[in-house]
Amino acid sequence: MLILVDSEQLQNTTATYQINNLDTLIEASQFKAALAESLSLIGQVSQSSHAALIGLGKVAELQPAKLAKIAQTIIQVTQKKFKQISIDLTQLPQEFHYLFALFLTQASYGYDEYKSKKNEFVLEQIDLIATHSVLTTEQLQLVQAVQSGQNLARDLGNRPGNICFPEYLAEQAVALAAEYPDLLKVTVLDEQQMADLGMGAFLAVSKGSERPGRIISMEYQSERSEAPVVLVGKGITFDTGGISLKPGAGMDEMKYDMCGAASVLGTMRALCEARLPLHVVGTIAAAENMPSGKATRPGDIVTTMSGQTVEILNTDAEGRLVLCDTLTYVKRFNPALVIDIATLTGACVVALGSVLTGLFTPDDKLAAELEAAGQHSFDRVWRMPVLEDYQEQLDSPFADIGNIGGPKAGSVTAACFLQRFTREYRWAHLDVAGTAWNSGTNKGATGRPVPLLMQFLTSRVQSNG
């Protein structure tokens, strides 16, 4: 039993639980109920042999980021010791209950697939207790669905490029459809089919690799009559930069260049588990960017599926090349709106770091919906400009457009490049280059923005009644 306590309401704990020697224990340990501070109560609570107080700090000053740290502390302390734990949320304000449940699931993730010594996690169940709570059974089911989808996205992101390549992503989509045959329909395009459709930009990237590219579409509840929400994920399963070769230091992290695709797969899994009444299409542009003798050269010109020509000035700006043809391809679904998710630019990392995802859209209403979903799920976005004023930076003397816009506003010009292929429908672009994975000692995929996307889709269901 873990009891969350407000530092300014410590004595109220005795109102619910008979805790032996509480004043003496607090005095002896100088327990202040500071943020994530704990006080062991083993043998002191009649309702539980193993109990502890967990400090919330001053509840009036509590913020989601602080609450996430408390969840991380609880999981770190318990996940190797107990199969089941109970947490009393009574002193946690009700508006935080949903987020706290979500944070607990996010903190419980571990990745040991390729380690000979496993994590030895034993925690299987968390019971939440509260005198009053706004949490419903449906919300808890949604939390579990988001956890499942986010964990899948993290697993896929963490898998190395020799395991997770374009055909592998296609296999994962087919396997998901086999698991939910009543909800999901999958279509996979091979490179010949792409060539027949005129996808010269996509093939300019994939042709440098021995691994063939794939466009994978997963249609959820295709029998529904409403126009679908279409999610498009960048799936560069490994990015060497191509002929514009990246520096060697840190290149191992380029296995994460498919995290946009991973988030689409994760969102489709979460949708299937939550069974939201919605028409959604998840499409993945999967390719590997390699520097072979068949690779595209800087200065090459290709024709996109839309008919626009592109001068490829830098082969390391490949994500927008696979996305632009895919964004043209998804018009066949007659979308209500399209959201693409991509680890697109280092410039976005410079601008926003790893806290906020860059949001680019000319659509104010769509931007507001995504911003609200980000706040509700604490998977936040920050709106960046996508203005016609920047388009001239993409001008090319030899083609309709260049694939880079120079050193200024790199994340903005990348979004402006994609905008040229999305003018026939409502569209938003999420640049997750800074938020899809962590570097350093805590290296690993985050599974973002699965919580954001699921909240966005859930809110659409709720608003449509």
Side-chain angles (χ1 to χ4, degrees):
M1 169 71 69
L2 301 173
I3 307 166
L4 303 182
V5 289
D6 180 352
S7 62
E8 296 186 328
Q9 300 288 330
L10 249 180
Q11 297 306 319
N12 288 352
T13 308
T14 57
T16 305
Y17 297 96
Q18 295 182 346
I19 303 175
N20 301 325
N21 307 312
L22 179 60
D23 291 340
T24 302
L25 288 169
I26 290 174
E27 178 65 27
S29 64
Q30 290 298 295
F31 178 70
K32 305 295 185 186
L35 187 74
E37 183 184 7
S38 64
L39 174 64
S40 175
L41 299 175
I42 293 177
Q44 303 300 314
V45 181
S46 58
Q47 295 96 324
S48 175
S49 58
H50 294 276
L53 302 182
I54 304 292
L56 293 170
K58 295 180 180 179
V59 163
E61 299 175 0
L62 195 59
Q63 298 173 347
K66 294 180 178 179
L67 196 59
K69 291 182 179 179
I70 295 171
Q72 290 162 8
T73 298
I74 289 173
I75 296 301
Q76 287 170 0
V77 169
T78 61
Q79 68 184 164
K80 291 186 178 181
K81 295 180 179 180
F82 305 104
K83 283 191 174 182
Q84 179 270 335
I85 61 172
S86 299
I87 305 174
D88 190 315
L89 310 179
T90 300
Q91 291 196 23
L92 179 67
Q94 292 185 53
E95 63 264 28
F96 287 123
H97 286 191
Y98 175 83
L99 266 185
F100 186 62
L102 187 60
F103 290 155
L104 287 167
T105 67
Q106 291 169 342
S108 64
Y109 176 81
Y111 187 74
D112 58 7
E113 190 171 2
Y114 298 102
K115 284 181 172 288
S116 55
K117 184 177 181 181
K118 303 302 182 182
N119 287 321
E120 299 177 353
F121 295 159
V122 298
L123 184 61
E124 296 176 354
Q125 180 177 325
I126 300 174
D127 296 326
L128 302 177
I129 303 168
T131 305
H132 301 286
S133 181
V134 294
L135 273 177
T136 63
T137 300
E138 291 76 15
Q139 284 179 308
L140 288 173
Q141 289 172 343
L142 180 62
V143 166
Q144 291 178 315
V146 172
Q147 176 192 22
S148 182
Q150 193 168 5
N151 285 354
L152 174 60
R154 292 166 101 169
D155 285 348
L156 290 171
N158 286 329
R159 284 176 188 145
N162 63 316
I163 301 294
C164 184
F165 43 85
E167 298 142 303
Y168 180 86
L169 290 178
E171 291 168 1
Q172 298 303 299
V174 170
L176 184 61
E179 192 174 344
Y180 296 97
D182 59 323
L183 295 175
L184 212 58
K185 181 173 69 175
V186 171
T187 304
V188 180
L189 298 186
D190 61 26
E191 290 193 341
Q192 184 57 57
Q193 291 169 303
M194 292 182 223
D196 294 342
L197 289 168
M199 294 185 174
F202 188 111
L203 294 171
V205 178
S206 66
K207 73 177 186 178
S209 173
E210 295 295 321
R211 299 284 190 187
R214 294 287 186 266
I215 288 181
I216 308 150
S217 292
M218 299 163 282
E219 193 167 5
Y220 171 80
Q221 297 211 8
S222 59
E223 76 286 350
R224 295 182 66 90
S225 59
E226 78 266 21
V229 173
V230 176
L231 308 176
V232 176
K234 173 188 170 185
I236 301 297
T237 57
F238 196 84
D239 182 19
T240 65
I243 297 301
S244 305
L245 193 67
K246 291 179 179 290
M251 197 196 286
D252 63 287
E253 295 189 11
M254 287 302 96
K255 69 178 184 178
Y256 294 118
D257 210 17
M258 44 64 69
C259 282
S263 74
V264 171
L265 264 163
T267 300
M268 300 311 291
R269 168 167 278 286
L271 274 172
C272 289
E273 293 199 12
R275 292 185 172 266
L276 292 184
L278 203 65
H279 188 188
V280 181
V281 177
T283 298
I284 289 169
E288 188 179 54
N289 190 21
M290 297 290 280
S292 76
K294 297 186 293 183
T296 296
R297 295 158 292 270
D300 284 2
I301 295 175
V302 297
T303 302
T304 67
M305 184 180 175
S306 71
Q308 298 176 79
T309 58
V310 178
E311 183 183 13
I312 300 175
L313 299 170
N314 188 322
T315 65
D316 194 23
E318 85 299 325
R320 66 201 71 183
L321 296 176
V322 299
L323 285 173
C324 72
D325 278 340
T326 308
L327 289 167
T328 301
Y329 173 76
V330 298
K331 285 193 299 184
R332 66 190 51 215
F333 295 109
N334 299 311
L337 60 93
V338 176
I339 302 170
D340 76 75
I341 308 99
T343 51
L344 206 63
T345 64
C348 197
V349 185
V350 173
L352 298 176
S354 59
V355 176
L356 302 169
T357 289
L359 164 63
F360 301 79
T361 179
D363 188 320
D364 293 339
K365 185 175 185 294
L366 181 53
E369 291 174 6
L370 285 164
E371 287 170 335
Q375 290 295 332
H376 191 82
S377 61
F378 200 61
D379 188 1
R380 297 165 295 169
V381 300
W382 190 264
R383 192 176 184 185
M384 301 280 280
V386 53
L387 303 173
E388 290 298 321
D389 310 58
Y390 291 97
Q391 287 285 356
E392 64 182 26
Q393 288 181 228
L394 294 165
D395 288 347
S396 163
F398 304 111
D400 295 332
I401 183 174
N403 79 322
I404 57 172
K408 295 181 180 179
S411 62
V412 177
T413 55
C416 286
F417 180 96
L418 297 179
Q419 186 185 29
R420 294 202 184 194
F421 302 86
T422 62
R423 296 191 189 276
E424 296 180 35
Y425 47 70
R426 298 179 69 198
W427 161 78
H429 160 58
L430 298 176
D431 193 330
V432 295
T435 56
W437 81 91
N438 296 317
S439 298
T441 54
N442 294 318
K443 185 188 296 186
T446 64
R448 294 176 67 182
V450 171
L452 164 69
L453 295 171
M454 280 299 293
Q455 184 58 53
F456 173 79
L457 295 171
T458 301
S459 297
R460 283 183 69 84
V461 170
Q462 294 169 344
S463 65
N464 291 334

